Amino acid sequence: MIFLRKILFPFALLYGWITQFRNFLFDKGILKSYSFDIPIIAVGNLTVGGTGKTPQIEYLLRLLSEHYSVATLSRGYKRKSKGFILAGDKDDATTLGDEPFQMHLKFPTIQVAVDANRKNGIEQLLSLKNKPKVIVLDDAFQHRKVKAGLYILLTTYDELYCDDWMLPTGNLRENKGGANRADVIIVTKCPASLSESDKIRVRKKLRIDKPLFFSTISYDDSVYSLDSVKSVTEIKLKPKLLIAGIAKPEPFFKYLKNENDDIMKFPDHHHFTDKDINTIKNRAGNKCIITTEKDFVRLKDFIQKESLFYLPIKTKLLTDNVDFDAVILNFVKSYTAK
């Protein structure tokens, strides 16, 4: 796989040129970007997958929903529906996509919408009788047709965008210079004990003068089914089947695994087929099944509820969460004060 990526380097150069030219057209106004008179926050990355967008979006929803009516809009990756959908009681992962459906279940008072056309999605949200006061765009850093008021760029501690290459040789969706569009950069999935000297080292590597924050993934102390809760301490001692269909599942497995556990890995956003479900049931036998929150919303209707549990995660800012919260809230206030 690594060798194949290396020999595809000429295509990486071509892809980089195409994305850079596209950005040039938007920067010069040749391709039109649309602005809206409402605070819009876009969260995204320069790389494909695995930077922790979902827990970061959830952090923002918790913060903002204490003060404002909030909506989140995403394209609804791998959903089987089309066009604009505002999440309702009849929707599930097939109509919304797994991550929006997860947010819909987790935040019932927040408007969760999907639309591949973000401009149309925003217009639809603003036409609602109870229209939101703030909109959070999921995975929209490259969606230049909409101009957000605040851009948050995520990059992982172990795989900084500055050390990466363009697709298909690396994982970059666009040139590293795209980071200049960010208003805030968050280095995600850091060690919880990250030192100040490590923070300084990362800032020097990124070589960018932007507000920079550091976060880690915080796992819950319990796992949850539809109607019961078990402590992680208890569940670690028992043999179980661990299932993950996410970009980088290793930390999830490491947090829960013991030597008697069975593991099943699937691609990110995997659609579980009937064959997959039967295989999972056969491999689990009488053992408990633990999966990620994102996979749980796609599996819960097909596996007995007493057997299937999920492990929630949260983004935790390292030491400077007050400053980060102030950046977000002051941005929103700058619109509402107009």
Side-chain angles (χ1 to χ4, degrees), residues 16 24 45 56 73 135-136 151 155 177 181 194 209 216 219 226 241 255 267-268 277 296 310:
F24 170 81
N45 50 32
Q56 183 59 53
L73 175 66
I135 297 176
V136 180
Y151 285 92
T155 184
R181 297 197 308 277
L194 189 69
D209 185 22
T216 188
Y219 289 103
L226 289 174
L241 174 62
Y255 184 71
D268 196 14
I277 300 299
F296 181 83
Y310 68 88

Side-chain angles (χ1 to χ4, degrees), residues 38-42 70-73 122 125-126 132-137:
I38 181 176
I40 296 175
I41 302 171
V70 185
T72 178
L73 175 66
I122 293 170
L125 285 169
L126 296 181
K133 298 297 184 184
V134 186
I135 297 176
V136 180
L137 299 180

Side-chain angles (χ1 to χ4, degrees), residues 53-270:
K53 287 191 302 295
T54 300
Q56 183 59 53
I57 294 284
E58 292 180 356
Y59 182 99
L60 293 172
L61 296 181
R62 290 188 189 93
L63 172 66
L64 292 166
S65 61
E66 292 182 8
H67 310 276
Y68 305 97
S69 59
V70 185
T72 178
L73 175 66
S74 69
R75 61 175 168 160
Y77 184 60
K78 285 199 173 182
R79 63 184 171 123
K80 294 184 177 181
S81 59
K82 293 183 179 180
F84 175 83
I85 294 179
L86 180 64
D89 294 340
K90 295 182 179 180
D91 288 300
D92 57 21
T94 62
T95 58
L96 299 174
D98 49 16
E99 290 167 349
F101 183 51
Q102 173 185 322
M103 291 182 195
H104 174 55
L105 295 177
K106 208 167 190 176
F107 302 95
T109 62
I110 286 174
Q111 294 167 314
V112 177
V114 294
D115 196 334
N117 183 333
R118 309 299 171 88
K119 175 179 176 288
N120 180 69
I122 293 170
E123 290 170 343
Q124 292 291 332
L125 285 169
L126 296 181
S127 70
L128 297 173
K129 184 178 180 180
N130 56 335
K131 65 182 181 181
K133 298 297 184 184
V134 186
I135 297 176
V136 180
L137 299 180
D138 180 17
D139 197 14
F141 200 78
Q142 286 78 33
H143 199 89
R144 300 291 308 270
K145 288 185 179 180
V146 168
K147 183 172 177 56
L150 184 76
Y151 285 92
I152 300 175
L153 177 66
L154 309 182
T155 184
T156 57
Y157 178 77
D158 289 332
E159 296 178 306
L160 298 170
Y161 66 79
C162 60
D163 296 329
D164 211 338
W165 293 89
M166 292 295 302
L167 288 164
T169 298
N171 293 311
L172 288 179
R173 296 172 168 181
E174 62 171 300
N175 189 280
K176 300 168 190 177
N180 290 311
R181 297 197 308 277
D183 298 292
V184 174
I185 296 176
I186 303 177
V187 181
T188 63
K189 302 186 178 180
C190 298
S193 58
L194 189 69
S195 67
E196 289 301 316
S197 60
D198 284 331
K199 292 180 182 180
I200 293 170
R201 176 184 58 81
V202 170
R203 182 180 287 278
K204 287 181 177 178
K205 285 195 73 173
L206 294 177
R207 287 191 283 184
I208 196 164
D209 185 22
K210 304 279 183 179
L212 182 65
F213 298 92
F214 298 83
S215 71
T216 188
I217 291 296
S218 174
Y219 289 103
D220 203 296
D221 294 329
S222 300
V223 294
Y224 301 80
S225 72
L226 289 174
D227 57 8
S228 64
V229 179
K230 294 185 179 183
S231 72
V232 168
T233 303
E234 171 193 356
I235 209 72
K236 273 187 176 181
L237 300 175
K238 297 180 179 179
K240 52 194 172 293
L241 174 62
L242 300 176
I243 299 173
I246 57 177
K248 296 173 183 177
E250 288 74 20
F252 166 78
F253 292 136
K254 183 178 179 181
Y255 184 71
L256 292 172
K257 189 178 184 304
N258 70 44
E259 60 184 10
N260 297 314
D261 290 341
D262 193 6
I263 287 177
M264 294 182 72
K265 297 181 184 180
F266 293 91
D268 196 14
H269 299 281
H270 181 68

Side-chain angles (χ1 to χ4, degrees), residues 272-282 299 302-303:
F272 292 97
T273 64
D274 291 341
K275 182 179 179 181
D276 292 331
I277 300 299
N278 288 331
T279 301
I280 289 169
K281 289 178 178 179
N282 289 334
L299 288 170
F302 305 102
I303 294 175

